[in-house]
Every structure is written in structure tokens, then in C-alpha cells.
Amino acid sequence: MPSHTLILEIGIAVGLVASVGLIANKLKFSVIPFFILIGMVLGQHAPQIGTIDLTFTESKPFIDFMGRLGVLFLLFYLGLEFSVGRLIKSGKSIVTGGTVYVLLNFISGLLIGWMMDLPFKEMMVLCGIMTSSSTAIVAKVLTDLKRTANPETEVIMGMIMFDDLFIAMHISFLSGLILTGSSSFWTVAGTSLLALGFILTFLILGRKLVPAIDKLLQVKSSELFVLVIFALLFITAGFSETIHVAEAIGALMAGLVLADSQYIKKIEAMVLPYKDFFGAMFFFSFGLSIDMLSLGGAVLWASIAAAVTICGNLASGYFAAKFSGMKNKTSFDIGFTLSARGEFSIIMANIGKAGGLLPVIQSFVVVYVLILSIVSPLLTKESRNIWTKLFGKDEIKPKTVKRLSDLESGQTP
């Protein structure tokens, strides 16, 4: 294909992603499954129209690179919004509920991995896939359903933060286990400890550099402001990759450090459009890499895993509601909302792909994410109706009405 069509091809790709995004928004669905599906449809079996190759053969390296940037911006933005102090202040109920959530989903991953007879490395990736809730989908669902002010929403977001903390630790573990390419226990343990040491060192030293970084960010030029932020992001992510720590962890660390900056609101506003654009291209590029004809063998296991995830999350929702002193019916709101899977599950799968693990992981995560990214918002929307059909309406105790004669005599009926 002539190279002069490269820009046009990328433009068509972005246009198609935008089109399916508009359709998803019109239908009030999460955009994530639509981005993945359009990539799969136009991937390895798409036709060529004139000089335009809809398999995006020539532009795929550029699209893949944009997807790689999407991972960095997603983790960087997560770091900007994450706060250990806020997690601690959220209370014992959220920490307890979050712990139950992570344990139930991780054990579910072990169970499904054992049933699929996966090797240890693949099983650990699967555990990460099944434990990583989608912050993007959860936030969108709560906003669309106008539940952001509900009391259970604080519990949900607290548990999401706890899960994000797990994601950071598990990615560092997978970096040591998979990305080094070593099967030696001591090599894996050493790399995992190196990743943990990198995280702790960067957090301690990085936060001390925040005042100096803030001085750099005092510039009035928006151009220089963007350049400083991007330099910190890419250098940190690139350095982490050189020491066999996933670049996503470096991006997360950069976000965690800048979360203490006095310019945090300005940084978030500046990064958000990049996160949204490159994040969309990340899901599209992931879809391009998937052969639809190879998904058949993963449909059954992914469907079983999705059902197990929903059941496990309902259980964790029950415990979270109980620890928070809420009504039992809120357990369905919490459990169904947290069942959404998306960006972080795919990031976990991509670590497995980078390490040359079995391709079944890629097929599994496609079907698994597609199911839960569609079903979870629907179940969340109908959570209260489902509770009512299963357990009936809560009994409403009639209010005691005082009569004038009772008030005059000082008695109550």
C-alpha cells in the first residue's frame, strides 16, 4: 500500500472509533466493548477498499504505539486520583470490604485457572484479570444512573481505590514473574523486590521533589507546562521499563507523586483529553490484535468466569454493606457495579502477551471483558428491581400518628 495513505488510514481508524463511541453514547452503553469490537471486526479479516486497507496493516505499528500511550495515560491519571490517605480515612468498612472483594475475586481466578489447567504464570495473569474492576466503567455507570450522591457510592469508590492498590502490587509482581523471562524463583523474587523497592523509593524521594517540580510548573506558558508533565511521565515510565518493571507502574508512580502538587487540578484537566483519546486507541488496537475466529475456545470458560465474578462480587457487596451498616439490598448495588471489567484486565493480559504466555489468555480476556462491560451496567441499572423480585419489597413501618387528645394528655397511642 502506498505510504501516502498512512495519515488517511489513521484518520479513518480514529473516525471509526469516534463513530462507535457516538453509537454507544446514544445507547447509553459503556464505550469500551464498542471500541474493542470495531477493532476485531476491522482487524485480520477486513476487506480492502481501493487503496485503503481496513486491516490497517501499515498503520498498525502507529496505532499500537498510540495504544501503548493509552496505557501510560490511564495509569498516570489513576495515580493522580489515588490517595492512600483518603483510603485510610474512608474507614474500616471500606478496607474490610475491599479486602474481601480482592480475596474472593483472586480465589475465583485461581479456581478458573485450575479448571482450565493453566500453568502458574498464566494462572497469575488470570487472577489479575478477574480481580481488576474497571474504574472508567464504574464511574460512568454511577454518573449515568445519578447515584453519585447515594451512600453506597462512597463504599463502591473506596473499594475501587483498594482494588487499584492491589493492581499496582500485582503488576509489579507480574513484572518480576513474566517480563524477566526467568523461571528461577530467586530471579523472580529479586525482580519483584526490585519493583517494590522502585515504588517505595520513588514515592519517598519523588514526594520530596514536589516543591521543585511545582517551581518548574509556575510557568505561564501552557506549552511548557505540558512539556514538563510529559517529560516526567515518559522518563519515569521509560526508566522503570529498563529495570524490568512494567512501564505502567512507572506511569502510576509519576501520577502518585504529582498528586501532591499544588497544580493537581490543572494537571488533571490537561491530561484528561489525552487519557480519553489514547485510551480509546488502546482498546481499538487491542481489538485489532484479536482474531475473531480464535475466540470460540474461550467463550465457555469466559462465560463461566463472568458468572463466578458476579456471584463473588455480590458476596463482597453483602459484606461491604454489612460492615457499613447499610441495608442488605445495597449489596446488589455494590456487587453489580463492581463487576465491570475493562481497561485494567486488558493491561494484565497484555503483560502476559509481552511475556509470550499462552494465547488463550488474550482470547479469554476479550470475551470476559465484553460480557462484563455490557452485562454489569445493565444489572446495576436493574439492581433494585432484581432485589425486589428475589426478596420482595422492604416492609415500611407506618408512622405513628398522634391525636390532639393524646398530646393534651401527654400520652402516645
Side-chain angles (χ1 to χ4, degrees), residues 15 35 44 72 77 88 183 211 221 244 294 304 347 365 374 382:
F35 292 158
Q44 302 177 27
L72 297 185
Y77 195 81
I88 295 172
S183 58
S221 169
H244 300 292
S294 69
I304 294 172
I347 289 171
V365 78
I374 294 173
E382 299 297 328

Side-chain angles (χ1 to χ4, degrees), residues 106-384:
F106 197 87
I107 291 171
S108 297
L110 290 175
L111 174 63
I112 297 297
W114 174 74
M115 292 171 64
M116 293 176 67
D117 195 26
L118 293 177
F120 179 72
K121 291 182 179 180
E122 281 79 357
M123 189 179 293
M124 288 298 98
V125 172
L126 188 70
C127 289
I129 290 170
M130 293 185 64
T131 311
S132 308
S133 187
S134 171
T135 306
I137 296 178
V138 169
K140 180 172 175 54
V141 168
L142 292 173
T143 302
D144 290 347
L145 296 179
K146 298 180 180 179
R147 295 186 183 180
T148 53
N150 289 9
E152 70 271 9
T153 296
E154 183 179 348
V155 176
I156 291 170
M157 296 312 296
M159 291 173 71
I160 282 284
M161 289 177 62
F162 194 91
D163 184 47
D164 291 342
L165 182 62
F166 162 79
I167 290 171
M169 293 188 295
H170 195 63
I171 288 178
S172 66
F173 168 70
L174 291 179
S175 298
L177 180 65
I178 297 171
L179 299 183
T180 58
S182 174
S183 58
S184 167
F185 170 78
W186 294 111
T187 302
V188 172
T191 307
S192 299
L193 288 174
L194 177 63
L196 182 60
F198 169 74
I199 292 171
L200 295 176
T201 303
F202 197 86
L203 283 177
I204 295 170
L205 296 180
R207 293 193 174 191
K208 290 183 178 181
L209 293 174
V210 169
I213 295 173
D214 282 346
K215 287 184 178 179
L216 290 175
L217 297 176
Q218 285 177 354
V219 293
K220 294 182 180 180
S221 169
S222 59
E223 179 183 27
L224 292 176
F225 188 91
V226 171
L227 286 172
V228 171
I229 297 300
F230 279 21
L232 291 171
L233 168 60
F234 294 137
I235 290 173
T236 306
F239 175 76
S240 67
E241 188 181 27
T242 63
I243 58 173
H244 300 292
V245 177
E247 59 187 23
I249 285 291
L252 179 67
M253 291 303 101
L256 285 171
V257 169
L258 289 174
D260 288 334
S261 170
Q262 61 179 318
Y263 298 101
I264 178 62
K265 296 297 181 184
K266 187 177 179 180
I267 296 171
E268 285 183 335
M270 181 271 290
V271 170
L272 184 59
Y274 294 97
K275 175 187 77 80
D276 290 341
F277 173 73
F278 288 110
M281 298 311 294
F282 162 63
F283 294 115
F284 177 69
S285 67
F286 177 74
L288 284 178
S289 68
I290 301 300
D291 183 355
M292 288 191 298
L293 301 180
S294 69
L295 298 181
V299 171
L300 176 61
W301 287 116
S303 301
I304 294 172
V308 170
T309 296
I310 292 172
C311 292
N313 285 355
L314 286 176
S316 62
Y318 168 78
F319 285 109
K322 189 175 182 65
F323 294 139
S324 303
M326 296 182 180
K327 294 181 180 179
N328 288 337
K329 66 179 182 180
T330 60
S331 63
F332 273 36
D333 294 332
I334 297 170
F336 286 144
T337 304
L338 289 172
S339 295
R341 295 293 184 268
E343 62 274 20
F344 297 120
S345 295
I346 295 175
I347 289 171
M348 296 282 185
N350 279 351
I351 292 176
K353 182 180 180 181
L357 301 190
L358 295 176
V360 68
I361 295 295
Q362 297 292 305
S363 300
F364 174 92
V365 78
V366 171
V367 182
Y368 179 72
V369 166
L370 286 176
I371 292 173
L372 289 179
S373 60
I374 294 173
V375 171
S376 175
L378 293 176
L379 290 175
T380 303
K381 184 179 180 180
E382 299 297 328
S383 59
R384 294 164 193 183

Side-chain angles (χ1 to χ4, degrees), residues 23-59:
I23 294 172
N25 191 57
K26 191 73 174 178
L27 297 174
K28 295 185 178 180
F29 273 110
S30 166
V31 295
I32 291 176
F34 284 77
F35 292 158
I36 297 173
L37 284 172
I38 190 64
M40 289 169 55
V41 170
L42 296 174
Q44 302 177 27
H45 303 286
Q48 181 169 334
I49 303 175
T51 59
I52 304 301
D53 183 4
L54 291 180
T55 61
F56 300 101
T57 303
E58 183 175 339
S59 60

